[in-house]
Amino acid sequence: MAHGHGPSVQKVIVAQAGNDTIGIVDTESQTLVDTIWVGDEPASIVVDDEAATAYVSLETEDVVAVIDLQTHEVLERLSTPRSPRAVALTDDGQTLIVAGHRTGQSQRYPYADGEATQTDIAAIQIDSRETVWSIEEAGNIITDVWV
């Protein structure tokens, strides 16, 4: 995921699932300049350039880590649908869309009593951190989402 847009992109942010980190790559020097521990198996990243914040899905933790891109610190973790894989941010930066990867496959990944529902997609309001809507039947093995 590029931090910035166009041919003058200065940073690229990569999910490093094998290390439970995201990497910050400087495109001018073409080197990895920092790694940030975010949690188990980061899968997808979306960046709010204006807020200098990255949202990183952590598939095995059922959360999205919120990263301050200026301090390179994890600010918090947002609860999400089971196995969040894909994330997107609305153009106004107000709503985070999160899609679960292992949803819709209750035969293969059965839910124990009391576990999360099979919500496939959820919309989380950035300011309040509340889920404002969700969709239970959007498919299975969702790997990407776009708004």
Side-chain angles (χ1 to χ4, degrees), residues 48 50 89-95 125:
D48 181 343
E50 191 171 309
L89 196 61
T90 56
D91 287 340
D92 63 7
Q94 297 300 307
T95 308
Q125 191 70 32

Side-chain angles (χ1 to χ4, degrees), residues 8-36:
S8 63
V9 171
Q10 297 173 357
K11 293 181 186 175
V12 173
I13 303 171
V14 295
Q16 300 168 322
N19 295 327
D20 299 336
T21 58
I22 60 171
I24 311 293
V25 177
D26 178 81
T27 58
E28 187 174 328
S29 66
Q30 299 179 359
T31 58
L32 178 68
V33 294
D34 199 5
T35 57
I36 305 166

